[in-house]
Each structure stands twice: as structure tokens, then as C-alpha cells.
């Protein structure tokens, strides 16, 4: 399996799973392999970036299907992979990407290096004086 494709899957898995550790480590490895900075910077929004080849886009879509869709991959995405890669390389890509999805999950769960941070989504306190007021009723004009 081309190391660039392998790293693309690992890096996107880190981003999709929300692991700063996995994402950061594999950004660095892609630079070491000579991947252009434009491609590395576009990983978070790859769907709208035009810097990737058809195969690279399929690898990114495949990674999202593995990580975000529990492995449910469309026939179209798998078909593009099959046009370019033998079954053995698709298996390697699947195994490595899934393994780094697990690594990202473990890094977050154990709050390892770079993933030891507060949750990004937290409740914002109500403005002073709002107390137990039913804001939804107020918005609906029933308050």
C-alpha cells in the first residue's frame, strides 16, 4: 500500500474521531513523505477541496465510512478503490485505518498526549436573572 494513502487514511481517522494526537502525528508523517501542505491543510474539509486525486478522495471517503459510518461503505467508493488497488491493499488500508480509529479512541479515552483537554462542547450558563424561566415558552409567545 502506498505510504501516502496509508497516512491519508490514518490522518483523516484521527480528525474524524477527534484525536489531536493521531491527527497531529500523521500530519507530520505526511510531510515527511513529501505530501504538499495544501493537501494536509485540506484534510478537515476534504469534501470541498479540489487538490486530491480521484483515488485520494476515495481513500478519504472510505476512511469516513469506516470511522463515521461504522464501516458502511458505498458501492461507488469501494468501486473506485477496486479500480486502483488490489484486494490485498484494500484490506491493508481497511485494517490500518480501523486500527488508527481505535488508537484515536483510546487516546481520547485515556486523555493521552494532546488529547488531555476539556470537552469541546459544554453547557453555557444562562444569563444572570433567568433562573427557572421557560425560554422555549417565551420564544413561542406563551411566556
Amino acid at each position: 500500500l502506498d505510504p501516502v494513502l496509508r497516512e491519508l487514511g490514518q490522518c483523516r481517522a484521527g480528525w474524524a474521531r477527534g484525536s489531536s494526537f493521531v491527527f497531529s502525528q500523521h500530519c507530520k508523517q505526511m510531510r515527511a513523505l513529501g505530501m504538499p501542505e495544501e493537501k494536509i491543510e485540506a484534510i478537515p474539509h476534504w469534501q470541498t477541496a479540489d487538490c486530491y486525486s480521484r483515488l485520494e478522495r476515495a481513500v478519504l471517503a472510505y476512511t469516513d465510512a469506516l470511522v463515521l459510518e461504522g464501516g458502511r461503505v458505498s458501492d461507488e467508493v469501494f468501486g473506485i478503490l477496486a479500480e486502483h488497488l488490489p484486494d490485498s491493499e484494500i484490506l491493508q488500508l481497511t485494517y490500518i485505518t480501523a486500527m488508527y480509529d481505535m488508537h484515536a479512541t483510546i487516546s481520547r479515552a485515556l486523555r493521552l498526549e494532546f488529547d488531555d483537554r476539556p470537552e469541546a462542547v459544554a453547557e453555557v450558563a444562562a444569563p444572570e436573572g433567568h433562573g427557572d424561566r421557560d425560554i422555549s415558552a417565551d420564544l413561542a409567545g406563551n411566556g
Side-chain angles (χ1 to χ4, degrees):
L1 179 63
D2 181 340
V4 170
L5 298 178
R6 179 194 69 219
E7 292 299 326
L8 198 57
Q10 290 170 304
C11 191
R12 178 62 189 182
W15 174 267
R17 185 54 62 207
S19 171
S20 293
F21 178 78
V22 172
F23 177 71
S24 297
Q25 295 302 86
H26 293 282
C27 284
K28 292 167 183 57
Q29 184 59 28
M30 285 189 296
R31 283 186 191 97
L33 292 171
M35 180 173 276
E37 195 64 31
E38 175 188 27
K39 288 184 178 185
I40 296 168
E41 290 175 3
I43 288 171
H45 56 89
W46 72 266
Q47 303 90 334
T48 60
D50 60 4
C51 56
Y52 298 109
S53 70
R54 186 168 188 249
L55 176 56
E56 290 169 335
R57 293 181 68 75
V59 167
L60 290 161
Y62 190 66
T63 299
D64 282 1
L66 293 174
V67 176
L68 301 174
E69 301 298 326
R72 184 59 57 195
V73 180
S74 73
D75 291 342
E76 292 78 11
V77 169
F78 199 86
I80 295 169
L81 292 178
E83 284 175 26
H84 295 89
L85 303 173
D87 289 348
S88 61
E89 290 183 14
I90 294 172
L91 177 60
Q92 287 176 23
L93 177 64
T94 305
Y95 184 82
I96 290 167
T97 303
M99 185 174 63
Y100 274 85
D101 177 23
M102 180 184 67
H103 186 192
T105 298
I106 290 169
S107 292
R108 291 186 67 211
L110 299 178
R111 295 185 180 242
L112 300 178
E113 183 181 13
F114 306 135
D115 286 325
D116 185 13
R117 63 185 193 277
E119 291 300 322
V121 178
E123 181 183 5
V124 176
E128 192 173 319
H130 268 267
D132 294 329
R133 194 168 172 178
D134 185 349
I135 297 172
S136 295
D138 289 349
L139 292 172
N142 299 329

